Amino acid sequence: MRKPVIAGNWKLFKSIGESTALINELKPLVAGAGNVEIVVAPVFTALNRVSDAASGSGINLAAQDCFWEEEGAFTGEVAPKLLKDAGCSHVIIGHSERRQYFGETDATVNKKTKAAMAAGLTAIVCVGETLEERESGRTFSVIEEQIQNSLAGIAPEGVAGLIIAYEPVWAIGTGKTASDEQAQEVHAFIRSLILNLFGQTASDAVRILYGGSVKPDNVKGLMGQADIDGALVGGASLKADSFAAIVNFGV
Ligand code: 13P
């Protein structure tokens, strides 16, 4: 059985004070969530204080990106082991906004994922097609290339511990969620790719999250799909009540 993951990507929102306030509001609301891995990803500057605020709550902390080197003359970058030091257990890698605005490629996603794993972080590796790619019938080939290249050279045991997030770019921040069937179709495809590339154990264990306009009113349908193991939530993770309602989808 794969443990469900509900992750909130706070993107470039919230000061340190606003972030810790959100955690403090969230804690009692998700205390009864039971068998759900809860993750929040605040901005870098808030990570350590959010880690303190979340201590003992079972809420896990993710960074929104990392670099692949441990240290050196790399102005502006943050190494995975420093994210661990700040209290992170997870890190989001290759979000479509990073691919779109900051030149992230499958090759850099691959290096970052390996570095994150080496530092003991759980990587949340993002993939997803644009509207143009979907409409021209290239969804599966785009996803296949992203998965193959982003995970190249990672051992099957490593892949088993990864989290993959399928986020169709056209569904992010648009209010247009993929239908349960559209999402399940791609999730099943990703799991079959993992089976072919890394074998049965990795394919059975890897958790695949859906992201793109997940809200309290659509999470249940998505989570009811066989290959959807959780959600990566943007906008609805910025308020305690809506994020808690998503975390508590099964309660
Ligand atoms: P929204 O939930 O705001 O569509 O964002 C999804 C996302 O990009 C999460 O990483």
Side-chain angles (χ1 to χ4, degrees):
M1 273 303 288
R2 296 181 292 267
K3 186 174 184 174
V5 183
I6 302 292
N9 175 8
W10 295 357
K11 306 192 179 183
L12 183 47
F13 292 101
K14 296 189 185 294
S15 64
I16 295 171
E18 289 163 344
S19 298
T20 52
L22 177 53
I23 286 294
N24 287 329
E25 213 184 322
L26 194 58
K27 282 197 287 192
L29 302 180
V30 299
N35 190 36
V36 177
E37 192 167 309
I38 307 168
V39 183
V40 297
V43 295
F44 282 120
T45 49
L47 286 171
N48 194 227
R49 291 278 290 278
V50 168
S51 170
D52 288 343
S55 170
S57 68
I59 299 172
N60 298 281
L61 196 63
Q64 299 176 16
D65 186 27
C66 67
F67 190 47
W68 55 81
E69 295 287 352
E70 281 195 18
E71 61 179 15
F74 301 108
T75 303
E77 293 298 330
V78 182
K81 72 173 182 190
L82 299 183
L83 297 176
K84 240 187 143 199
D85 187 41
C88 292
S89 51
H90 295 62
V91 57
I92 298 170
I93 298 175
H95 191 280
S96 64
E97 287 149 16
R98 296 217 60 83
R99 294 173 183 264
Q100 191 177 349
Y101 305 125
F102 303 104
E104 190 86 85
T105 64
D106 291 338
T108 57
V109 170
N110 184 246
K111 288 207 252 189
K112 290 177 177 186
T113 302
K114 287 172 175 164
M117 291 169 63
L121 293 168
T122 300
I124 304 174
V125 179
C126 303
V127 297
E129 83 286 2
T130 64
L131 184 60
E132 193 237 320
E133 288 162 345
R134 174 163 284 262
E135 289 182 339
S136 59
R138 288 185 287 142
T139 298
F140 292 113
S141 62
V142 167
I143 299 292
E144 180 164 5
E145 191 176 317
Q146 288 176 339
I147 291 284
Q148 206 159 1
N149 295 337
S150 301
L151 306 187
I154 299 177
E157 311 80 67
V159 173
L162 283 180
I163 298 174
I164 295 171
Y166 168 58
E167 298 203 303
V169 177
W170 49 272
I172 295 176
T174 58
K176 268 196 248 172
T177 329
S179 69
D180 299 345
E181 295 73 23
Q182 276 175 323
Q184 165 58 24
E185 186 184 34
V186 179
H187 281 236
F189 176 68
I190 293 171
R191 203 176 299 286
S192 74
L193 285 174
I194 299 295
L195 175 66
N196 293 337
L197 294 166
F198 302 99
Q200 189 76 51
T201 308
S203 153
D204 287 344
V206 70
R207 288 172 298 170
I208 309 175
L209 316 187
Y210 169 79
S213 298
V214 176
K215 309 284 177 218
D217 62 0
N218 60 24
V219 65
K220 237 189 164 100
L222 290 161
M223 292 304 293
Q225 305 300 309
D227 291 295
I228 299 183
D229 305 312
L232 182 54
V233 186
S237 72
L238 296 172
K239 290 216 162 75
D241 55 354
S242 53
F243 188 59
I246 294 170
V247 169
N248 293 319
F249 71 92
V251 176

